[in-house]
Amino acid sequence: MWRRSLGSIQFSVEHRCSSDDRGPSLCVSDAANHVLLRFDCLYRNPAYHVDPKGLDEHHSLPPLADNIAWTLAELERNLAHSLSRAGFDLEDPPDWSAAQLTQVLVEAEAAMRNPPAGLQELELDLLAARHGEKWSTYPEDILPAWVAEMDFPLAEPIRLVLQRAADRGDLGYPISLRATGLPEVFAQRMQARFDWGVEPSRTEILSDVVQGMYIACVAYAPERPGAVVQTPIYPPFLGAVKETGRRLIDNALVVGEDRRLHFDLERLRHQVDEHTGMLLLCNPHNPSGRVYRRDELEVMAEIVLERDLFVVSDEIHGDLVYDGARHIPFASISPEVAARTVTLTSATKAFNIPGLRCAVAHFGSAELQKRFNEAVPRHARGGIGLLGIHATLAAWQHSQPWLDEVLAQLDANRSLLGELLAKELPELGYFRPEATYLAWLDCRALDLEPTPATRFLRGGKVALSDGRHFGAAYGNFARINFATSGAILTQVVERMKSALASR
Ligand SMILES: Cc1ncc(COP(=O)(O)O)c(C=O)c1O
Protein backbone atom coordinates (compact mmCIF):
# COMPACT_ATOMS: atom_id res chain seq x y z
CA MET A 1 0.00 0.00 0.00
CA TRP A 2 1.31 3.46 -0.91
CA ARG A 3 1.52 5.99 2.01
CA ARG A 4 2.86 9.53 2.42
CA SER A 5 2.75 11.99 5.29
CA LEU A 6 2.04 15.65 4.72
CA GLY A 7 2.50 17.58 7.97
CA SER A 8 -0.06 16.25 10.41
CA ILE A 9 -2.08 14.25 7.87
CA GLN A 10 -1.39 11.11 5.89
CA PHE A 11 -2.35 9.94 2.42
CA SER A 12 -2.66 6.29 1.46
CA VAL A 13 -3.81 4.38 -1.60
CA GLU A 14 -5.32 0.94 -1.65
CA HIS A 15 -6.43 -1.02 -4.71
CA ARG A 16 -9.77 -2.73 -4.41
CA CYS A 17 -11.10 -5.53 -6.49
CA SER A 18 -14.39 -7.35 -5.91
CA SER A 19 -16.64 -9.33 -8.17
CA ASP A 20 -18.65 -6.26 -9.19
CA ASP A 21 -16.23 -3.35 -8.97
CA ARG A 22 -12.57 -2.41 -8.91
CA GLY A 23 -10.38 0.66 -8.60
CA PRO A 24 -8.23 2.60 -6.13
CA SER A 25 -9.29 4.22 -2.85
CA LEU A 26 -7.41 7.28 -1.66
CA CYS A 27 -7.65 7.95 2.08
CA VAL A 28 -6.66 11.04 4.02
CA SER A 29 -6.16 10.24 7.72
CA ASP A 30 -5.08 12.07 10.87
CA ALA A 31 -2.02 11.25 12.98
CA ALA A 32 -4.04 8.66 14.94
CA ASN A 33 -4.92 6.92 11.66
CA HIS A 34 -8.59 7.98 11.67
CA VAL A 35 -9.80 8.19 8.11
CA LEU A 36 -11.13 11.70 7.49
CA LEU A 37 -11.76 11.53 3.76
CA ARG A 38 -12.00 8.56 1.45
CA PHE A 39 -12.26 8.70 -2.31
CA ASP A 40 -13.34 5.42 -3.87
CA CYS A 41 -12.42 5.86 -7.51
CA LEU A 42 -14.17 2.66 -8.47
CA TYR A 43 -15.11 1.77 -11.98
CA ARG A 44 -18.87 1.33 -11.50
CA ASN A 45 -19.74 3.13 -8.27
CA PRO A 46 -17.29 5.96 -7.66
CA ALA A 47 -18.00 7.81 -4.42
CA TYR A 48 -16.35 9.81 -1.68
CA HIS A 49 -16.87 9.74 2.04
CA VAL A 50 -16.28 12.53 4.51
CA ASP A 51 -15.27 11.18 7.93
CA PRO A 52 -16.57 7.67 7.40
CA LYS A 53 -15.84 6.95 11.08
CA GLY A 54 -18.22 9.62 12.30
CA LEU A 55 -20.68 11.34 10.03
CA ASP A 56 -20.07 9.09 7.07
CA GLU A 57 -21.35 11.62 4.60
CA HIS A 58 -21.43 9.86 1.29
CA HIS A 59 -21.37 11.58 -2.10
CA SER A 60 -21.22 10.25 -5.63
CA LEU A 61 -18.27 11.20 -7.77
CA PRO A 62 -19.20 12.53 -11.22
CA PRO A 63 -20.15 9.49 -13.30
CA LEU A 64 -18.29 8.88 -16.59
CA ALA A 65 -15.51 11.31 -15.64
CA ASP A 66 -11.89 10.39 -14.99
CA ASN A 67 -12.64 10.18 -11.28
CA ILE A 68 -8.97 9.97 -10.29
CA ALA A 69 -8.27 13.29 -12.02
CA TRP A 70 -11.42 14.75 -10.44
CA THR A 71 -10.35 13.62 -6.94
CA LEU A 72 -6.85 15.02 -7.21
CA ALA A 73 -8.07 18.35 -8.60
CA GLU A 74 -10.59 18.54 -5.74
CA LEU A 75 -7.90 17.88 -3.13
CA GLU A 76 -5.54 20.41 -4.66
CA ARG A 77 -8.27 23.07 -4.63
CA ASN A 78 -10.21 22.27 -1.51
CA LEU A 79 -8.25 20.10 0.90
CA ALA A 80 -8.55 22.50 3.86
CA HIS A 81 -12.30 22.90 3.39
CA SER A 82 -12.88 19.13 3.01
CA LEU A 83 -10.86 18.41 6.14
CA SER A 84 -12.82 20.92 8.15
CA ARG A 85 -16.05 19.26 6.99
CA ALA A 86 -14.60 16.05 8.37
CA GLY A 87 -14.12 17.79 11.73
CA PHE A 88 -10.35 18.13 11.47
CA ASP A 89 -8.94 21.39 12.79
CA LEU A 90 -6.25 22.41 10.44
CA GLU A 91 -3.57 24.80 11.62
CA ASP A 92 -3.62 28.15 9.90
CA PRO A 93 -1.43 28.25 7.90
CA PRO A 94 -1.28 24.46 7.44
CA ASP A 95 1.93 22.62 8.29
CA TRP A 96 2.75 21.99 4.62
CA SER A 97 3.34 24.14 1.57
CA ALA A 98 1.30 24.16 -1.63
CA ALA A 99 4.32 22.71 -3.46
CA GLN A 100 4.53 19.80 -0.98
CA LEU A 101 0.82 19.09 -1.46
CA THR A 102 1.25 19.10 -5.25
CA GLN A 103 4.17 16.67 -4.99
CA VAL A 104 2.20 14.26 -2.77
CA LEU A 105 -0.73 14.41 -5.18
CA VAL A 106 1.52 13.65 -8.18
CA GLU A 107 2.79 10.55 -6.38
CA ALA A 108 -0.72 9.63 -5.27
CA GLU A 109 -1.89 9.79 -8.86
CA ALA A 110 0.85 7.41 -10.03
CA ALA A 111 -0.05 5.01 -7.20
CA MET A 112 -3.80 5.25 -7.86
CA ARG A 113 -3.52 4.64 -11.57
CA ASN A 114 -1.10 1.73 -11.28
CA PRO A 115 -1.98 -1.27 -9.12
CA PRO A 116 0.75 -3.93 -8.85
CA ALA A 117 1.29 -5.27 -12.36
CA GLY A 118 1.12 -9.00 -11.46
CA LEU A 119 4.00 -9.94 -13.75
CA GLN A 120 4.69 -13.39 -12.35
CA GLU A 121 1.06 -14.50 -12.35
CA LEU A 122 0.94 -15.68 -15.95
CA GLU A 123 -1.23 -18.63 -16.87
CA LEU A 124 -0.30 -20.57 -19.95
CA ASP A 125 -3.88 -21.39 -20.97
CA LEU A 126 -4.88 -17.70 -20.86
CA LEU A 127 -1.80 -16.75 -22.86
CA ALA A 128 -2.56 -19.47 -25.39
CA ALA A 129 -6.03 -17.95 -25.90
CA ARG A 130 -4.54 -14.63 -27.06
CA HIS A 131 -5.09 -13.69 -30.70
CA GLY A 132 -1.80 -11.84 -31.28
CA GLU A 133 0.89 -13.21 -33.56
CA LYS A 134 3.05 -14.61 -30.77
CA TRP A 135 0.46 -16.99 -29.36
CA SER A 136 -1.60 -17.78 -32.44
CA THR A 137 0.96 -18.60 -35.13
CA TYR A 138 1.99 -22.05 -33.89
CA PRO A 139 -0.03 -25.05 -32.66
CA GLU A 140 -0.78 -25.18 -28.94
CA ASP A 141 2.00 -27.61 -28.07
CA ILE A 142 4.63 -25.06 -29.15
CA LEU A 143 5.87 -22.60 -26.52
CA PRO A 144 6.42 -19.24 -28.29
CA ALA A 145 9.50 -17.11 -27.50
CA TRP A 146 9.82 -15.30 -30.80
CA VAL A 147 7.97 -12.17 -32.05
CA ALA A 148 8.38 -9.06 -29.86
CA GLU A 149 5.23 -9.19 -27.76
CA MET A 150 5.31 -9.46 -23.97
CA ASP A 151 3.28 -11.96 -21.95
CA PHE A 152 2.48 -9.49 -19.16
CA PRO A 153 -0.97 -8.08 -18.34
CA LEU A 154 -1.72 -4.58 -19.64
CA ALA A 155 -0.91 -1.44 -17.70
CA GLU A 156 -4.09 -0.52 -15.83
CA PRO A 157 -4.44 2.99 -17.38
CA ILE A 158 -4.40 1.41 -20.83
CA ARG A 159 -6.78 -1.37 -19.83
CA LEU A 160 -9.21 1.23 -18.47
CA VAL A 161 -9.14 3.33 -21.64
CA LEU A 162 -9.99 0.26 -23.69
CA GLN A 163 -12.64 -0.99 -21.29
CA ARG A 164 -14.34 2.40 -21.01
CA ALA A 165 -14.41 2.81 -24.79
CA ALA A 166 -16.01 -0.61 -25.21
CA ASP A 167 -18.52 -0.06 -22.39
CA ARG A 168 -19.59 3.31 -23.78
CA GLY A 169 -19.58 2.32 -27.44
CA ASP A 170 -17.02 5.08 -27.83
CA LEU A 171 -15.48 4.03 -31.12
CA GLY A 172 -16.24 6.91 -33.43
CA TYR A 173 -13.83 8.61 -35.80
CA PRO A 174 -10.90 10.22 -34.03
CA ILE A 175 -10.88 14.01 -34.13
CA SER A 176 -8.14 15.62 -36.18
CA LEU A 177 -4.83 14.02 -35.25
CA ARG A 178 -3.31 17.34 -34.18
CA ALA A 179 -6.21 17.92 -31.78
CA THR A 180 -5.57 14.64 -29.95
CA GLY A 181 -2.73 16.26 -27.99
CA LEU A 182 -0.48 13.32 -28.84
CA PRO A 183 2.30 15.42 -30.47
CA GLU A 184 2.54 17.54 -27.31
CA VAL A 185 2.54 14.52 -24.99
CA PHE A 186 5.24 12.93 -27.17
CA ALA A 187 7.33 16.12 -26.93
CA GLN A 188 6.96 16.25 -23.14
CA ARG A 189 7.98 12.61 -22.81
CA MET A 190 11.05 12.96 -25.04
CA GLN A 191 12.15 16.00 -23.04
CA ALA A 192 11.59 14.35 -19.68
CA ARG A 193 13.14 10.99 -20.49
CA PHE A 194 15.88 11.76 -23.00
CA ASP A 195 16.45 15.47 -22.59
CA TRP A 196 15.54 15.82 -26.26
CA GLY A 197 13.59 18.90 -27.32
CA VAL A 198 11.20 18.12 -30.15
CA GLU A 199 8.78 20.32 -32.01
CA PRO A 200 5.18 19.02 -31.73
CA SER A 201 4.24 20.51 -35.11
CA ARG A 202 7.00 18.44 -36.76
CA THR A 203 5.37 15.24 -35.57
CA GLU A 204 3.13 13.00 -37.64
CA ILE A 205 1.00 10.20 -36.25
CA LEU A 206 1.31 6.98 -38.24
CA SER A 207 -0.24 3.58 -37.91
CA ASP A 208 3.12 1.93 -37.27
CA VAL A 209 6.86 2.39 -37.21
CA VAL A 210 7.52 0.07 -40.15
CA GLN A 211 5.10 2.12 -42.26
CA GLY A 212 7.23 5.19 -41.48
CA MET A 213 10.37 3.32 -42.57
CA TYR A 214 8.83 2.36 -45.91
CA ILE A 215 7.56 5.88 -46.60
CA ALA A 216 10.97 7.36 -45.74
CA CYS A 217 12.60 4.94 -48.19
CA VAL A 218 10.28 6.25 -50.89
CA ALA A 219 10.60 9.91 -49.90
CA TYR A 220 14.29 10.68 -49.49
CA ALA A 221 17.03 10.91 -52.13
CA PRO A 222 15.44 8.50 -54.62
CA GLU A 223 18.14 9.59 -57.09
CA ARG A 224 20.76 8.06 -54.72
CA PRO A 225 19.22 4.62 -54.10
CA GLY A 226 21.95 3.15 -51.87
CA ALA A 227 20.62 2.61 -48.33
CA VAL A 228 22.84 1.48 -45.46
CA VAL A 229 21.54 -1.14 -43.05
CA GLN A 230 23.49 -2.79 -40.27
CA THR A 231 22.88 -6.51 -40.01
CA PRO A 232 21.85 -8.48 -38.08
CA ILE A 233 18.72 -6.35 -38.17
CA TYR A 234 14.99 -6.44 -37.47
CA PRO A 235 13.77 -8.00 -40.76
CA PRO A 236 11.46 -5.16 -41.98
CA PHE A 237 14.57 -2.96 -42.40
CA LEU A 238 15.69 -5.34 -45.16
CA GLY A 239 12.17 -5.48 -46.61
CA ALA A 240 11.77 -1.69 -46.61
CA VAL A 241 14.99 -1.19 -48.56
CA LYS A 242 14.42 -3.97 -51.08
CA GLU A 243 10.69 -3.53 -51.63
CA THR A 244 10.97 0.19 -52.32
CA GLY A 245 13.58 -0.48 -55.00
CA ARG A 246 16.59 0.81 -53.10
CA ARG A 247 20.01 -0.83 -53.13
CA LEU A 248 20.94 -2.52 -49.86
CA ILE A 249 24.37 -1.69 -48.45
CA ASP A 250 25.11 -4.04 -45.57
CA ASN A 251 27.42 -2.42 -43.05
CA ALA A 252 27.36 -5.53 -40.82
CA LEU A 253 27.91 -4.99 -37.10
CA VAL A 254 31.04 -6.53 -35.59
CA VAL A 255 31.49 -8.30 -32.27
CA GLY A 256 33.70 -6.25 -29.92
CA GLU A 257 35.94 -7.50 -27.13
CA ASP A 258 33.09 -6.64 -24.76
CA ARG A 259 30.96 -9.31 -26.52
CA ARG A 260 28.65 -6.64 -27.84
CA LEU A 261 27.83 -5.66 -31.39
CA HIS A 262 29.45 -2.46 -32.65
CA PHE A 263 29.30 -0.27 -35.75
CA ASP A 264 32.05 -0.88 -38.29
CA LEU A 265 32.60 2.81 -38.96
CA GLU A 266 35.80 2.48 -41.01
CA ARG A 267 34.10 0.07 -43.38
CA LEU A 268 31.10 2.37 -43.56
CA ARG A 269 33.29 5.24 -44.85
CA HIS A 270 34.34 3.00 -47.75
CA GLN A 271 30.89 1.60 -48.43
CA VAL A 272 29.10 4.92 -48.83
CA ASP A 273 29.51 6.24 -52.37
CA GLU A 274 27.90 9.11 -54.28
CA HIS A 275 24.91 6.88 -55.06
CA THR A 276 24.08 6.36 -51.39
CA GLY A 277 21.36 8.56 -49.91
CA MET A 278 20.18 6.95 -46.69
CA LEU A 279 21.13 5.29 -43.45
CA LEU A 280 18.62 3.21 -41.49
CA LEU A 281 19.55 3.05 -37.84
CA CYS A 282 18.04 0.82 -35.16
CA ASN A 283 18.83 2.17 -31.69
CA PRO A 284 18.42 0.44 -29.29
CA HIS A 285 19.23 -2.38 -31.60
CA ASN A 286 16.97 -5.29 -32.41
CA PRO A 287 18.01 -8.19 -32.27
CA SER A 288 21.01 -7.62 -29.95
CA GLY A 289 19.66 -5.08 -27.45
CA ARG A 290 22.73 -2.88 -27.99
CA VAL A 291 22.34 0.75 -26.86
CA TYR A 292 24.80 2.86 -28.83
CA ARG A 293 26.92 5.24 -26.76
CA ARG A 294 27.17 8.94 -27.53
CA ASP A 295 30.76 8.65 -28.85
CA GLU A 296 29.69 5.91 -31.30
CA LEU A 297 26.72 7.96 -32.48
CA GLU A 298 28.89 11.05 -32.86
CA VAL A 299 31.26 9.31 -35.27
CA MET A 300 28.26 7.93 -37.14
CA ALA A 301 26.88 11.49 -37.30
CA GLU A 302 30.17 12.78 -38.76
CA ILE A 303 29.90 10.28 -41.60
CA VAL A 304 26.24 11.15 -42.15
CA LEU A 305 27.10 14.84 -42.49
CA GLU A 306 30.22 14.26 -44.62
CA ARG A 307 28.29 12.04 -47.04
CA ASP A 308 25.04 14.01 -47.02
CA LEU A 309 22.89 11.06 -45.89
CA PHE A 310 19.28 11.12 -44.72
CA VAL A 311 18.75 9.08 -41.56
CA VAL A 312 15.78 7.04 -40.44
CA SER A 313 16.29 6.26 -36.77
CA ASP A 314 14.01 3.57 -35.35
CA GLU A 315 13.95 4.16 -31.59
CA ILE A 316 10.96 2.04 -30.68
CA HIS A 317 12.96 0.21 -27.97
CA GLY A 318 14.21 3.48 -26.40
CA ASP A 319 11.95 3.13 -23.35
CA LEU A 320 13.27 -0.35 -22.55
CA VAL A 321 16.83 0.48 -21.52
CA TYR A 322 18.36 -1.13 -18.42
CA ASP A 323 20.40 0.67 -15.77
CA GLY A 324 23.95 1.20 -16.92
CA ALA A 325 23.02 2.35 -20.43
CA ARG A 326 21.28 5.48 -21.65
CA HIS A 327 19.20 5.97 -24.78
CA ILE A 328 20.43 8.88 -26.89
CA PRO A 329 18.07 9.91 -29.70
CA PHE A 330 20.18 10.23 -32.85
CA ALA A 331 18.53 13.55 -33.72
CA SER A 332 19.67 14.96 -30.38
CA ILE A 333 23.35 14.73 -31.40
CA SER A 334 23.28 18.18 -33.08
CA PRO A 335 20.89 20.49 -34.98
CA GLU A 336 22.68 19.62 -38.26
CA VAL A 337 22.06 15.91 -37.65
CA ALA A 338 18.45 16.56 -36.59
CA ALA A 339 17.81 18.42 -39.86
CA ARG A 340 18.38 15.20 -41.82
CA THR A 341 16.84 12.71 -39.38
CA VAL A 342 13.41 11.18 -39.14
CA THR A 343 12.87 9.53 -35.78
CA LEU A 344 10.31 6.76 -35.55
CA THR A 345 8.93 5.48 -32.28
CA SER A 346 5.77 4.44 -30.49
CA ALA A 347 4.40 3.25 -27.17
CA THR A 348 3.56 -0.13 -28.65
CA LYS A 349 6.78 -1.98 -27.82
CA ALA A 350 7.43 -0.76 -24.28
CA PHE A 351 3.76 -0.87 -23.29
CA ASN A 352 2.95 -4.00 -25.23
CA ILE A 353 0.09 -2.74 -27.40
CA PRO A 354 1.31 -3.46 -30.95
CA GLY A 355 -2.17 -4.58 -31.99
CA LEU A 356 -3.43 -1.01 -31.54
CA ARG A 357 -1.37 0.39 -34.45
CA CYS A 358 -0.25 3.85 -33.48
CA ALA A 359 3.23 5.36 -33.92
CA VAL A 360 4.94 8.70 -34.18
CA ALA A 361 7.37 10.13 -36.74
CA HIS A 362 9.40 13.19 -35.82
CA PHE A 363 11.08 15.28 -38.51
CA GLY A 364 14.10 17.43 -37.78
CA SER A 365 13.12 19.92 -40.48
CA ALA A 366 9.99 21.16 -42.21
CA GLU A 367 11.47 20.06 -45.54
CA LEU A 368 11.81 16.43 -44.36
CA GLN A 369 8.22 16.46 -43.16
CA LYS A 370 6.95 17.95 -46.42
CA ARG A 371 8.71 15.34 -48.55
CA PHE A 372 7.40 12.55 -46.34
CA ASN A 373 3.82 13.81 -46.58
CA GLU A 374 4.08 14.31 -50.33
CA ALA A 375 5.53 10.82 -50.89
CA VAL A 376 2.42 9.08 -49.56
CA PRO A 377 -0.60 11.28 -48.78
CA ARG A 378 -2.35 10.81 -45.46
CA HIS A 379 -5.40 9.00 -46.83
CA ALA A 380 -3.24 6.49 -48.64
CA ARG A 381 -1.48 5.81 -45.32
CA GLY A 382 -4.73 4.71 -43.71
CA GLY A 383 -6.56 6.16 -40.76
CA ILE A 384 -5.37 5.89 -37.18
CA GLY A 385 -7.72 4.17 -34.74
CA LEU A 386 -9.14 6.05 -31.79
CA LEU A 387 -8.11 3.28 -29.39
CA GLY A 388 -4.47 3.41 -30.49
CA ILE A 389 -4.31 7.14 -29.88
CA HIS A 390 -5.95 7.01 -26.47
CA ALA A 391 -3.98 3.98 -25.35
CA THR A 392 -0.74 5.74 -26.38
CA LEU A 393 -1.75 8.81 -24.37
CA ALA A 394 -2.57 6.60 -21.37
CA ALA A 395 0.79 4.84 -21.74
CA TRP A 396 2.95 7.93 -21.98
CA GLN A 397 1.04 10.03 -19.46
CA HIS A 398 0.05 7.53 -16.78
CA SER A 399 1.69 4.12 -17.14
CA GLN A 400 5.35 4.73 -16.25
CA PRO A 401 5.03 2.92 -12.85
CA TRP A 402 3.90 -0.19 -14.77
CA LEU A 403 6.86 0.13 -17.13
CA ASP A 404 9.27 0.53 -14.18
CA GLU A 405 7.92 -2.71 -12.73
CA VAL A 406 8.19 -4.44 -16.10
CA LEU A 407 11.77 -3.26 -16.57
CA ALA A 408 12.78 -4.65 -13.18
CA GLN A 409 11.23 -7.99 -14.12
CA LEU A 410 12.91 -7.97 -17.54
CA ASP A 411 16.23 -7.14 -15.94
CA ALA A 412 15.84 -10.15 -13.63
CA ASN A 413 14.91 -12.28 -16.66
CA ARG A 414 17.96 -11.07 -18.57
CA SER A 415 20.13 -12.43 -15.72
CA LEU A 416 18.06 -15.59 -15.32
CA LEU A 417 18.40 -16.29 -19.04
CA GLY A 418 22.18 -15.86 -18.83
CA GLU A 419 22.33 -18.29 -15.90
CA LEU A 420 20.04 -20.86 -17.49
CA LEU A 421 21.92 -20.81 -20.78
CA ALA A 422 25.31 -21.05 -19.05
CA LYS A 423 24.04 -24.11 -17.19
CA GLU A 424 21.95 -25.89 -19.81
CA LEU A 425 23.48 -24.80 -23.12
CA PRO A 426 27.00 -23.62 -22.29
CA GLU A 427 28.20 -23.71 -25.90
CA LEU A 428 25.64 -21.16 -26.94
CA GLY A 429 26.81 -17.51 -27.05
CA TYR A 430 24.48 -15.09 -25.27
CA PHE A 431 24.71 -11.38 -26.14
CA ARG A 432 23.46 -9.90 -22.88
CA PRO A 433 21.23 -7.02 -24.01
CA GLU A 434 21.51 -3.48 -22.66
CA ALA A 435 17.90 -2.85 -23.69
CA THR A 436 14.76 -4.70 -24.76
CA TYR A 437 13.52 -8.16 -23.94
CA LEU A 438 15.09 -9.76 -27.00
CA ALA A 439 18.46 -11.47 -27.00
CA TRP A 440 20.65 -12.57 -29.85
CA LEU A 441 22.05 -16.07 -29.55
CA ASP A 442 25.15 -17.29 -31.34
CA CYS A 443 24.48 -21.00 -31.89
CA ARG A 444 27.42 -21.68 -34.23
CA ALA A 445 29.15 -24.02 -31.79
CA LEU A 446 26.04 -26.22 -31.58
CA ASP A 447 25.98 -26.90 -35.31
CA LEU A 448 22.19 -27.24 -35.55
CA GLU A 449 20.88 -28.13 -39.01
CA PRO A 450 19.06 -26.76 -40.93
CA THR A 451 18.95 -23.78 -38.54
CA PRO A 452 18.92 -23.50 -34.74
CA ALA A 453 15.38 -22.09 -34.70
CA THR A 454 14.10 -24.99 -36.83
CA ARG A 455 15.80 -27.50 -34.55
CA PHE A 456 14.46 -25.89 -31.38
CA LEU A 457 10.99 -25.88 -32.91
CA ARG A 458 11.00 -29.46 -34.17
CA GLY A 459 12.99 -31.10 -31.39
CA GLY A 460 12.02 -28.94 -28.37
CA LYS A 461 8.63 -27.49 -29.37
CA VAL A 462 9.78 -23.98 -28.61
CA ALA A 463 9.60 -21.16 -31.20
CA LEU A 464 12.50 -18.70 -31.44
CA SER A 465 13.10 -16.26 -34.32
CA ASP A 466 15.28 -17.67 -37.08
CA GLY A 467 18.58 -15.81 -37.48
CA ARG A 468 18.32 -15.98 -41.30
CA HIS A 469 15.54 -13.40 -41.25
CA PHE A 470 17.95 -10.85 -39.75
CA GLY A 471 20.44 -11.13 -42.63
CA ALA A 472 21.66 -13.89 -44.91
CA ALA A 473 24.83 -14.48 -42.87
CA TYR A 474 23.01 -15.34 -39.65
CA GLY A 475 21.67 -18.83 -40.31
CA ASN A 476 23.43 -20.10 -37.19
CA PHE A 477 21.94 -17.49 -34.89
CA ALA A 478 18.54 -17.17 -33.26
CA ARG A 479 16.67 -14.47 -31.35
CA ILE A 480 14.88 -15.23 -28.11
CA ASN A 481 12.12 -13.22 -26.41
CA PHE A 482 12.34 -13.32 -22.60
CA ALA A 483 9.37 -11.07 -21.71
CA THR A 484 7.52 -13.62 -19.66
CA SER A 485 7.51 -15.06 -16.15
CA GLY A 486 10.61 -16.71 -14.72
CA ALA A 487 8.76 -20.04 -14.73
CA ILE A 488 7.89 -19.86 -18.43
CA LEU A 489 11.38 -18.66 -19.34
CA THR A 490 12.82 -21.66 -17.52
CA GLN A 491 10.56 -23.94 -19.60
CA VAL A 492 11.73 -22.20 -22.78
CA VAL A 493 15.37 -22.99 -22.03
CA GLU A 494 14.54 -26.54 -20.93
CA ARG A 495 12.82 -27.11 -24.26
CA MET A 496 15.79 -25.67 -26.15
CA LYS A 497 18.02 -28.09 -24.31
CA SER A 498 15.75 -31.03 -25.04
CA ALA A 499 16.02 -30.19 -28.76
CA LEU A 500 19.75 -30.96 -28.61
CA ALA A 501 19.01 -34.44 -27.36
CA SER A 502 16.85 -34.99 -30.46
CA ARG A 503 19.86 -34.73 -32.78
C1 LIG B 1 13.13 -2.18 -34.15
C2 LIG B 1 11.67 -2.36 -34.39
N1 LIG B 1 11.02 -1.48 -35.16
C3 LIG B 1 9.70 -1.60 -35.40
C4 LIG B 1 8.97 -2.63 -34.86
C5 LIG B 1 7.52 -2.76 -35.18
O1 LIG B 1 6.88 -1.58 -34.95
P1 LIG B 1 5.44 -1.34 -35.56
O2 LIG B 1 4.59 -2.46 -35.09
O3 LIG B 1 5.05 -0.01 -35.02
O4 LIG B 1 5.64 -1.33 -37.04
C6 LIG B 1 9.61 -3.57 -34.05
C7 LIG B 1 8.85 -4.70 -33.48
O5 LIG B 1 9.37 -5.58 -32.90
C8 LIG B 1 10.97 -3.42 -33.80
O6 LIG B 1 11.63 -4.27 -33.02
Side-chain angles (χ1 to χ4, degrees):
M1 190 201 271
W2 174 88
R3 276 181 195 284
R4 283 288 174 281
S5 296
L6 181 70
S8 48
I9 57 173
Q10 276 195 52
F11 289 74
S12 60
V13 170
E14 189 183 348
H15 288 277
R16 304 183 35 200
C17 184
S18 66
S19 54
D20 62 344
D21 218 345
R22 63 192 276 178
S25 281
L26 174 69
C27 290
V28 184
S29 320
D30 65 14
N33 260 341
H34 290 303
V35 176
L36 306 162
L37 308 169
R38 195 178 87 221
F39 296 83
D40 294 334
C41 297
L42 304 182
Y43 187 70
R44 293 187 202 291
N45 297 303
Y48 73 93
H49 303 252
V50 177
D51 188 16
K53 290 248 151 126
L55 307 168
D56 201 11
E57 274 181 33
H58 174 283
H59 307 263
S60 294
L61 288 173
L64 303 183
D66 174 346
N67 46 56
I68 297 178
W70 186 94
T71 296
L72 296 164
E74 181 65 16
L75 287 176
E76 180 119 46
R77 226 182 6 248
N78 261 338
L79 178 59
H81 175 68
S82 303
L83 287 172
S84 87
R85 271 172 60 197
F88 182 76
D89 287 329
L90 196 59
E91 288 172 30
D92 188 20
D95 51 359
W96 67 76
S97 67
Q100 285 168 325
L101 173 61
T102 302
Q103 181 55 32
V104 168
L105 295 179
V106 165
E107 289 178 34
E109 177 171 17
M112 290 174 85
R113 294 195 187 276
N114 289 276
L119 305 178
Q120 290 291 349
E121 296 146 28
L122 306 182
E123 289 177 37
L124 275 173
D125 48 350
L126 291 181
L127 291 170
R130 287 185 175 182
H131 293 99
E133 204 178 359
K134 181 176 182 189
W135 285 92
S136 62
T137 296
Y138 292 99
E140 268 191 25
D141 59 337
I142 304 291
L143 190 55
W146 64 296
V147 68
E149 296 173 17
M150 297 195 265
D151 289 345
F152 305 130
L154 281 180
E156 180 68 6
I158 299 176
R159 198 194 64 76
L160 262 187
V161 158
L162 301 179
Q163 184 172 343
R164 286 211 163 104
D167 285 357
R168 295 172 189 170
D170 182 13
L171 289 171
Y173 290 114
I175 50 172
S176 111
L177 292 177
R178 296 247 153 261
T180 60
L182 190 52
E184 287 72 20
V185 170
F186 165 69
Q188 283 155 15
R189 188 165 176 93
M190 294 301 109
Q191 186 66 58
R193 287 187 65 79
F194 310 126
D195 198 19
W196 177 36
V198 309
E199 175 54 58
S201 67
R202 294 239 190 85
T203 303
E204 297 287 334
I205 304 176
L206 306 177
S207 55
D208 59 73
V209 161
V210 171
Q211 177 189 49
M213 206 180 299
Y214 271 72
I215 298 176
C217 284
V218 172
Y220 303 121
E223 69 292 353
R224 288 184 286 145
V228 179
V229 170
Q230 289 150 330
T231 63
I233 192 67
Y234 174 60
F237 276 62
L238 304 171
V241 169
K242 289 182 194 153
E243 291 166 24
T244 57
R246 301 196 78 117
R247 179 169 52 89
L248 187 90
I249 300 175
D250 182 4
N251 175 234
L253 298 168
V254 288
V255 182
E257 283 173 11
D258 56 0
R259 277 207 58 74
R260 293 201 171 123
L261 296 182
H262 290 267
F263 296 139
D264 189 344
L265 293 162
E266 265 324 294
R267 180 150 177 257
L268 181 61
R269 284 185 203 278
H270 295 114
Q271 287 178 304
V272 174
D273 57 20
E274 70 274 24
H275 305 296
T276 307
M278 279 184 80
L279 167 78
L280 275 67
L281 190 64
C282 186
N283 182 34
H285 178 245
N286 173 359
S288 73
R290 198 51 237 293
V291 179
Y292 299 113
R293 295 185 314 262
R294 180 176 292 279
D295 57 310
E296 295 173 288
L297 294 173
E298 281 174 352
V299 180
M300 177 63 85
E302 262 172 46
I303 301 177
V304 161
L305 294 175
E306 259 170 35
R307 306 298 166 95
D308 186 23
L309 301 178
F310 290 97
V311 180
V312 179
S313 189
D314 175 342
E315 303 188 1
I316 196 171
H317 294 276
D319 259 337
L320 288 165
V321 173
Y322 301 112
D323 281 352
R326 182 168 161 67
H327 174 59
I328 298 171
F330 191 65
S332 71
I333 294 287
S334 73
E336 295 74 30
V337 168
R340 51 185 62 246
T341 301
V342 180
T343 307
L344 301 171
T345 192
S346 76
T348 61
K349 204 60 32 198
F351 294 91
N352 205 30
I353 46 174
L356 290 177
R357 312 277 75 203
C358 182
V360 162
H362 183 264
F363 302 87
S365 77
E367 180 59 23
L368 283 179
Q369 186 170 10
K370 182 166 170 279
R371 283 204 221 170
F372 187 94
N373 284 333
E374 283 172 359
V376 182
R378 166 147 298 287
H379 268 277
R381 297 187 332 223
I384 314 295
L386 191 70
L387 293 183
I389 292 169
H390 286 281
T392 301
L393 289 168
W396 282 343
Q397 290 184 299
H398 299 308
S399 304
Q400 189 57 40
W402 177 91
L403 181 54
D404 291 341
E405 234 184 288
V406 163
L407 266 175
Q409 167 71 30
L410 293 176
D411 195 5
N413 282 5
R414 154 175 97 130
S415 298
L416 175 65
L417 179 60
E419 286 156 25
L420 290 168
L421 292 174
K423 181 159 163 258
E424 307 292 355
L425 294 148
E427 290 168 297
L428 191 149
Y430 169 50
F431 290 86
R432 183 178 160 89
E434 297 166 289
T436 96
Y437 49 84
L438 306 166
W440 190 230
L441 305 178
D442 178 350
C443 310
R444 283 176 295 185
L446 295 174
D447 196 19
L448 298 172
E449 292 290 336
T451 68
T454 312
R455 280 292 294 280
F456 291 136
L457 184 67
R458 288 188 193 148
K461 297 206 176 296
V462 58
L464 274 66
S465 301
D466 196 314
R468 283 177 306 188
H469 302 146
F470 297 78
Y474 302 96
N476 276 316
F477 289 74
R479 191 192 71 180
I480 190 169
N481 171 345
F482 57 82
T484 191
S485 64
I488 296 178
L489 183 58
T490 305
Q491 276 196 48
V492 166
V493 177
E494 279 165 4
R495 287 183 182 218
M496 288 167 67
K497 183 177 184 187
S498 74
L500 300 192
S502 76
R503 241 177 241 261

